Amino acid sequence: MEEPHAPSPPPAPKKKTITLAQLRTFAAIADAGSFQVAAKVLFRSQPAISQQLKQLERVLGASLLSRSQGHVAQVTAAGERFLAVVKEALDQLDGAIHAFQRAAGAPQVRLGVPADILPIVLRALGKSSTLGPDLEVTLVTGLSAQLLRGFKHQAFDVILYRSLQSVSQGLEECLLEAETLHWIADRELCIDQLPAVPLVTFPEENLYRVAAIGSLDGTSRPWSIRCTTAEIDNVRAAVRAGLGIGTLPGHLLDQNVVVLNERHGFPPLPPVRLSMAVHGQSHPLAGHVAELLAAQWSVTAE
């Protein structure tokens, strides 16, 4: 006869852990005094950092910040004590990371951007004295769709990319600006006599092309591709030569074209978002480069 088995011991309670991302989020919110500002610094959405803070407070069993109508009123007494420890720990960790990276050679941040904004990016990086000789930034230009694929496959640490306002990329992103697109044509082009809209546009996957064709298809207006080129200067030249109608954002227009709208029979174009995504949690220096770019766009917007 078999002896009865002893009852199994109850499972050990699941240990609650604190993540590095939660600590960085708490420090950023406390320093900024605002969830909105901290979200921009961390390149995360506001709901995401709010959730991280709640998880941290739940693990600690203490309230770290007092809130008033969604804003940070002040750091609590418990929060002040914990914040001092967190900042010291983060400083030591970042210092150790930088020391190891220096020992292994110059650390590298891989940055991907659309070609037309490269001059702005170069101004941001060239003016900064905080990058130092210990950081190497490698730049690649490409279409936003290509940059997004590369970022999702870890080929880039930071990307600037465009997307249509109505399309979500499923990324934690920092919105830099929203661009307004315009239909443009040569002043002497007889628009009323066109049986189909002759498009001067970019290669497939370019957001300006996607926006133009999508808007025309939404009105069932016929169109044809008259010129395809990857160069913005070539688009403007082809439009000025009367070859067809193009789509460009306001900052790329010149005085030699006319802007078309609904009065001319052209549908509104969707706004295009210029955003930034960064693998900052796994690469702290990537976050530093992203901060420089965000600051440059803030200056440009002013």
Side-chain angles (χ1 to χ4, degrees):
M1 184 175 179
E2 295 183 1
E3 295 184 3
H5 292 289
S8 301
K14 188 175 180 180
K15 188 176 181 180
K16 296 180 180 179
T17 59
I18 293 176
T19 67
L20 181 60
Q22 291 170 350
L23 298 180
R24 292 193 185 279
T25 293
F26 168 52
I29 297 172
D31 286 343
S34 162
F35 284 91
Q36 183 177 10
V37 174
K40 290 182 178 180
V41 170
L42 295 169
F43 309 103
R44 304 290 304 277
S45 67
Q46 196 167 329
I49 68 168
S50 178
Q51 183 63 26
Q52 282 190 329
L53 180 64
K54 289 179 182 177
Q55 291 170 347
L56 177 60
E57 291 179 322
R58 196 175 301 124
V59 173
L60 294 174
S63 176
L64 302 175
L65 301 171
S66 62
R67 303 162 178 82
S68 175
Q69 298 181 345
H71 299 286
V72 178
Q74 60 182 6
V75 181
T76 64
E80 289 285 3
R81 293 194 299 273
F82 190 59
L83 182 62
V85 177
V86 167
K87 286 188 172 182
E88 182 178 355
L90 291 177
D91 287 344
Q92 290 181 355
L93 177 61
D94 289 340
I97 291 173
H98 294 165
F100 273 101
Q101 288 173 333
R102 284 194 298 271
Q108 185 182 85
V109 173
R110 301 160 299 169
L111 172 62
V113 303
D116 63 287
I117 62 174
L118 183 58
I120 303 176
V121 171
L122 293 176
R123 283 201 300 271
L125 300 180
K127 288 180 179 178
S128 174
S129 59
T130 62
L131 291 178
D134 294 332
L135 176 61
E136 178 181 304
V137 179
T138 60
L139 270 167
V140 174
T141 62
L143 294 175
S144 292
Q146 297 168 342
L147 299 174
L148 281 164
R149 284 195 294 270
F151 184 79
K152 290 175 181 178
H153 288 90
Q154 305 293 319
F156 296 107
D157 302 303
V158 183
I159 59 168
L160 274 61
Y161 66 96
R162 291 187 173 95
S163 62
L164 296 181
Q165 190 84 1
S166 58
V167 177
S168 172
Q169 300 296 333
L171 299 176
E172 291 289 350
E173 61 181 22
C174 170
L175 177 64
L176 299 177
E177 66 177 350
E179 301 174 323
T180 301
L181 287 180
H182 303 278
W183 298 102
I184 57 171
D186 181 66
R187 297 182 181 277
E188 297 182 5
L189 185 66
C190 297
I191 301 169
D192 297 335
Q193 300 177 12
L194 298 175
V197 178
L199 290 176
V200 175
T201 189
F202 298 90
E204 292 184 11
E205 291 194 304
N206 180 279
L207 263 293
Y208 300 159
R209 174 183 174 128
V210 172
I213 293 176
S215 295
L216 290 174
D217 286 345
T219 64
S220 300
R221 183 164 184 175
W223 54 269
S224 63
I225 303 291
R226 292 291 300 277
C227 176
T228 301
T229 175
E231 301 297 329
I232 293 171
D233 286 342
N234 290 341
V235 168
R236 288 189 289 221
V239 168
R240 288 195 300 267
L243 194 60
I245 293 168
T247 50
L248 287 175
H251 74 276
L252 294 177
L253 302 185
D254 60 37
Q255 298 178 347
N256 299 314
V257 298
V258 61
V259 174
L260 308 175
N261 52 37
E262 292 177 276
R263 189 164 48 86
H264 302 94
F266 286 83
L269 290 160
V272 175
R273 297 163 55 94
L274 177 64
S275 304
M276 176 165 54
V278 54
H279 288 307
Q281 299 296 336
S282 58
H283 195 330
L285 290 177
H288 180 52
V289 171
E291 289 176 13
L292 294 174
L293 295 173
Q296 179 64 43
W297 253 265
S298 298
V299 171
T300 302
E302 294 173 358

